Amino acid sequence: MSDYILSCCSPADLKKEHFDRRDIRYICFHYELDGVSYPDDLGQTISFPDFYKAMDEGATTKTSQVNLNEYLEYFSEFLKQGKDILHVSLSGGLSGSVNSAASAAQMLREQYPDRKIYVIDSLGASSGYGLIMDKAADLRDAGMGIDELAAWLEEHKLEMHHWFFSTDLKFYIRGGRVSKTAGFVAGVLNICPLLHMDEQGHLIPMEKIRTKKKVKEVIVKRMLQYAAGGKDYDGKCYISMSACEQDAKDVAALVESTFPKLNGKVLINDIGNLIGSHTGPGTVALFFWGCKRGTENF
């Protein structure tokens, strides 16, 4: 067993069993469904099918990040056990939670001067962030110490690629991220926008692609273009989806046929309550290791 805690936030969107099996601790964000507050607890309180069904039927959602006091309480539990902490946060390009975590860590370093507390901005989200955590667990289990692992994560986190598309824009319209006019036109033309996450951890629209069949082909072409080793990519690949399992399975099958050296089958996860509150149903995201984000030739 390592002498430090490997920790992240719930929007890393892995299954609870996955976190438990890999001994990765997590702290839960929060969301509201029709004004009632819930923890973003990996679908334990409200199942993902029930959550997305409620959204599809018109339920309103709101999200909130982990605050300073919650981080103080969460970190303190491990420090009292004499453990050091390596906490990797949801992208600072999407949430200010990393700042709360960093402030809590600084306060606790004064209280526990003999303990190490690292807070790292993953610049990632959903199961791409989760795939970073899974790799961190591999390195920890292979004997890498906390200092070396923290340095490795800072050096390599931008090699995690996030590509995703949405087939239902009504929740983007509802949230004001897409205008009603643009959303109407996209619906009439059967447009599925393709987006990616940039080197600052922001979500960036890339292409407007007509039909689901075409966007599934294009997202895998982007993996072929940017994955480490191209067609010889031999790392893991994760997908996350929001109530569109068949679309996710279609992309997974295409990935597996395109990359014969893939490390195992593509792992499909649910997009969690926090991120799903913004995407709604109908989003598929693809994650893989590749060239450093910001060096792509778009």
Side-chain angles (χ1 to χ4, degrees):
M1 294 291 291
S2 66
D3 59 353
Y4 60 93
I5 297 295
L6 184 58
S7 166
C8 66
C9 308
S10 57
D13 287 351
L14 300 179
K15 292 179 174 60
K16 181 180 185 300
E17 295 77 14
H18 193 149
F19 282 124
D20 291 344
R21 184 175 70 253
R22 300 311 314 270
D23 192 22
I24 301 170
R25 310 299 179 88
Y26 57 90
I27 186 169
C28 293
F29 274 57
H30 315 278
Y31 69 96
E32 292 182 9
L33 190 66
D34 279 342
V36 180
S37 182
Y38 300 96
D40 177 40
D41 59 359
L42 316 179
Q44 302 299 299
T45 300
I46 298 181
S47 72
F48 297 127
D50 287 345
F51 173 74
Y52 286 115
K53 183 175 184 290
M55 286 190 74
D56 201 38
E57 293 175 348
T60 60
T61 57
K62 183 180 179 181
T63 61
S64 59
Q65 65 191 33
V66 182
N67 64 39
L68 174 64
N69 288 333
E70 289 174 304
Y71 274 118
L72 286 170
E73 182 178 354
Y74 173 70
F75 289 154
S76 292
E77 291 182 13
F78 306 130
L79 296 169
K80 290 174 183 177
Q81 298 170 21
K83 297 283 190 177
D84 296 330
I85 301 169
L86 173 50
H87 179 76
V88 186
S89 179
L90 175 67
S91 172
L94 301 178
S95 168
S97 182
V98 64
N99 298 320
S100 297
S103 296
Q106 182 56 41
M107 294 171 65
L108 289 169
R109 288 187 192 102
E110 298 176 4
Q111 188 175 348
Y112 297 89
D114 295 330
R115 298 268 62 84
K116 296 177 181 178
I117 313 173
Y118 286 98
V119 174
I120 294 174
D121 185 345
S122 71
L123 296 176
S126 195
S127 296
Y129 173 22
L131 186 45
I132 291 173
M133 297 308 301
D134 189 77
K135 178 63 175 180
D138 285 342
L139 296 172
R140 176 206 60 198
D141 293 349
M144 187 175 285
I146 189 171
D147 301 317
E148 188 179 1
L149 181 52
W152 189 96
L153 288 167
E154 290 288 8
E155 175 64 24
H156 295 281
K157 62 188 182 183
L158 286 178
E159 294 169 13
M160 178 53 56
H161 281 244
H162 301 59
W163 288 86
F164 66 101
F165 64 82
S166 292
T167 61
D168 186 344
L169 297 182
K170 69 182 178 183
F171 302 96
Y172 293 81
I173 296 169
R174 185 186 296 174
R177 293 180 295 282
V178 174
S179 71
K180 290 184 178 179
T181 300
F184 174 77
V185 172
V188 170
L189 297 178
N190 199 15
I191 289 174
C192 300
L194 180 68
L195 304 91
H196 92 122
M197 180 169 277
D198 69 8
E199 67 273 18
Q200 295 178 324
H202 299 127
L203 303 179
I204 306 296
M206 297 299 293
E207 302 177 61
K208 298 176 181 178
I209 300 171
R210 294 189 67 178
T211 77
K212 284 202 293 185
K213 182 177 184 297
K214 184 63 176 178
V215 77
K216 292 171 187 176
E217 295 171 353
V218 172
I219 199 172
V220 177
K221 286 181 180 178
R222 295 295 166 262
M223 181 173 174
L224 187 60
Q225 186 174 0
Y226 298 115
K231 192 169 185 177
D232 291 329
Y233 178 71
D234 60 0
K236 293 181 181 179
C237 176
Y238 286 179
I239 285 174
S240 59
M241 62 85 195
S242 54
C244 52
E245 187 175 8
Q246 188 56 55
D247 292 332
K249 287 181 176 179
D250 291 345
V251 174
L254 189 53
V255 168
E256 289 169 3
S257 65
T258 304
F259 300 90
K261 298 182 181 180
L262 200 67
N263 183 356
K265 295 286 188 178
V266 174
L267 181 65
I268 298 176
N269 295 296
D270 291 283
I271 293 176
N273 305 108
L274 186 97
I275 294 175
S277 293
H278 300 284
T279 68
T283 293
V284 175
L286 177 65
F287 310 102
F288 56 89
W289 294 98
C291 63
K292 189 159 287 190
R293 278 153 42 201
T295 66
E296 308 99 328
N297 184 23
F298 294 136

